[in-house]
Amino acid sequence: MKKMFAFLALAIGLMLLLVSLNSADEDRTQPVIPNLSPAPTFSVSTVPLNSDVNPYGVAFVPKDFRGGEPLRPGDILVSNFNDQNNTQGTGTTIVRVTPEGNVSLFFSGKAGLGLTTALGVLKAGFVLVGNLPSPTGTCTPDTNGQELGVGMGSLIILNRDGQIVKTLADAQFLDGPWDLAVRDLGDYAQIFVSNALNGTVTRLDLRIPESGDDVEVVGETRIASGYLHRCDPAALVVGPTGLAYDRLSDTLFVASTGDNAIFAIPHAGYTHQDEGMGKTVYRDDAHLRGPLALVLAPNGDLLTSNGDAINPNPNQPSEIIEFTQQGMFVAEFSVDPSQGAAFGMALQSSEDQIQFAAVDDGTNMLDVWKIK
C-alpha cells in the first residue's frame, strides 16, 4: 500500500513539473504589497442572512473550474467562524463573492460547525472547508495542556452546488483543521492541512473518479509536527495556521502562530515521513505578530496576516506583511486600525492581472485589490 502511495506521489510530481514548465512565462518579478492601491478595488460585507460573523477562510474559484452555476471562475468564497451572537467556533456559512462584488450564500451547514480558514477549491468541481466546533466558544487547557471545550472537527467536501459530498474525520490526521493549501492536478490533488489541536501538518492524497461526483482519499501522511498549540483567550486556539505550497520547489511553507515564525517543509508532495517543524525561513519580531494565513505571490514572495495574539504592538495593528523566501522583509500594510482583524487571504494571478483578497474580521468585510 505504501508503495502505491509513493508511486502516486511521484506521478503527481512529474505531472506538476510539466505544468510548471508550461507556465514559465508567468511574471515572477513584482511584489504585491508595494503595488496595492491605498484603497481596495471593492469591499463587500461577508455577513449572510443568518448573521454569521468573523470571516476566516478566503479562496478563489480557479479559472479552469469544472461545471457551471452557481460557482464561476474568479468567484471568491469566504467562510465564517462565528455565529450571529459572535460565539467563536459556531459559524456555519460560506458566502460567494462574484468578480463584480455581488454577494450570495453558497453553503449553510448544521448548527455549531465553526468553519475555519481551511478553505480551498478544486478545479474538478469541489470545495473543501475545515471546521473546529466550540459549543460554548471557550477553550480550557487540561493538566497536560490539551485543549478542552473544542471539538476535533473535520474536513467537509462540497460539490459545486454547495451540497455535502463527504465529511472526513480522523483523530490522527485531522485534529482541528485550521488552514489548508491545495496542489491541484485535476483528477488528482494533494491537500495540506494544518491541525490546531495537535500542532501538526497532514497531506491528504485525493483521487477524483471519472464520474466526477466523488472524492477518494488514497493516502494520508503526517509531514510536519512540533508546532506550538494551545488555548487562547482572544483567538480561541493558537496553532499552526497558514500554508502555502510552492510547486516549483515542492516546498510547503507553514505559518506557526504560537512560534511566531514561518517554516519550510521540503519535498512536501513526496515525503512519507514526519519532517518535524522543518527549516525556519522567517523569524522577525519587528514585523511578525502571530502569523495566520499565508499565500505565495507570483514573484515567489510570501504574504502573511498578523493576528496580534503573539508579540502585539498597538502601533502595528492587523497587518499583512510580505517577505522573501530568503527571509528578507519587503513591505507591510494594515487592514484595520484595531488589533486582531487580519486573518484569511487569497491571491489569484493571470497574464495581465493579480487579484488579492483579504478579510477584515473586525468589520466583517472582504477587501479585494486588482493589480494590473
Side-chain angles (χ1 to χ4, degrees):
M1 187 66 70
K2 289 185 177 179
K3 288 184 178 179
M4 184 188 75
F5 295 159
F7 177 78
L8 176 62
L10 178 60
I12 290 174
L14 291 174
M15 293 173 65
L16 188 61
L17 178 60
L18 291 175
V19 171
S20 63
L21 289 175
N22 289 334
S23 60
D25 59 346
E26 185 179 10
D27 181 7
R28 297 181 63 85
T29 60
Q30 298 298 317
V32 173
I33 291 180
N35 288 292
L36 296 180
S37 58
T41 305
F42 67 84
S43 298
V44 295
S45 171
T46 59
V47 180
L49 290 178
N50 76 340
S51 299
D52 274 359
V53 292
N54 207 10
Y56 265 25
V58 184
F60 278 96
V61 177
K63 60 183 178 181
D64 44 3
F65 182 77
R66 270 186 221 167
E69 297 292 338
L71 290 183
R72 296 180 300 166
D75 286 348
I76 307 170
L77 298 179
V78 181
S79 55
N80 286 302
F81 189 58
N82 294 10
D83 67 5
Q84 62 181 339
N85 299 315
N86 204 25
T87 303
Q88 297 197 82
T90 55
T92 63
T93 52
I94 300 174
V95 297
R96 169 200 175 209
V97 180
T98 69
E100 298 76 31
N102 300 316
V103 183
S104 60
L105 180 68
F106 173 70
F107 170 72
S108 181
K110 65 180 182 180
L113 278 177
L115 300 182
T116 66
T117 329
L119 181 65
V121 185
L122 299 181
K123 55 189 176 184
F126 297 96
V127 175
L128 312 170
V129 64
N131 77 295
L132 191 155
S134 179
T136 63
T138 58
C139 178
T140 305
D142 65 12
T143 55
N144 296 316
Q146 190 60 46
E147 299 87 348
L148 301 178
V150 292
M152 179 182 73
S154 62
L155 188 66
I156 303 168
I157 302 177
L158 310 169
N159 62 19
R160 64 179 60 87
D161 297 313
Q163 300 170 334
I164 296 178
V165 173
K166 183 173 291 184
T167 298
L168 306 178
D170 190 301
Q172 179 180 0
F173 295 106
L174 295 170
D175 194 7
W178 202 227
D179 204 342
L180 62 76
V182 175
R183 182 188 191 188
D184 194 348
L185 291 170
D187 294 336
Y188 294 93
Q190 292 181 310
I191 312 301
F192 304 98
V193 182
S194 58
N195 295 296
L197 300 185
N198 64 8
T200 67
V201 176
T202 295
R203 186 187 70 230
L204 304 179
D205 297 318
L206 307 182
R207 187 178 76 88
I208 314 299
E210 290 185 8
S211 63
D213 58 3
D214 194 11
V215 176
E216 297 178 357
V217 179
V218 295
E220 297 174 293
T221 307
R222 175 177 290 180
I223 66 170
S225 65
Y227 305 109
L228 188 149
H229 62 97
R230 60 170 173 78
C231 296
D232 186 85
L236 186 67
V237 295
V238 162
T241 308
L243 302 176
Y245 179 72
D246 188 341
R247 67 176 187 266
L248 298 179
S249 62
D250 190 29
T251 300
L252 182 73
F253 295 94
V254 182
S256 181
T257 307
D259 296 296
N260 203 38
I262 312 297
F263 299 88
I265 308 302
H267 319 299
Y270 298 94
T271 186
H272 282 274
Q273 65 183 21
D274 189 333
E275 303 288 344
M277 297 176 72
K279 176 185 176 182
T280 303
V281 296
Y282 191 62
R283 189 183 295 275
D284 178 5
D285 286 344
H287 298 103
L288 281 182
R289 310 195 181 283
L292 295 170
L294 191 67
V295 297
L296 182 69
N299 72 338
D301 286 355
L302 291 159
L303 285 77
T304 191
S305 52
N306 277 327
D308 300 320
I310 306 296
N311 189 34
N313 184 339
N315 296 319
Q316 295 176 295
S318 303
E319 290 193 325
I320 294 175
I321 67 170
E322 182 171 350
F323 54 95
T324 70
Q325 294 186 24
Q326 293 71 43
M328 298 296 294
F329 172 77
V330 175
E332 64 187 339
F333 81 102
S334 174
V335 300
D336 193 285
S338 62
Q339 289 188 307
F343 212 128
M345 306 179 296
L347 187 149
Q348 188 175 73
S349 63
S350 61
E351 293 180 358
D352 60 348
Q353 181 177 257
I354 293 175
Q355 292 188 81
F356 177 65
V359 294
D360 180 338
D361 65 20
T363 59
N364 301 301
M365 300 289 288
L366 175 73
D367 297 329
V368 179
W369 286 262
K370 297 182 180 181
I371 308 169
K372 297 293 185 180

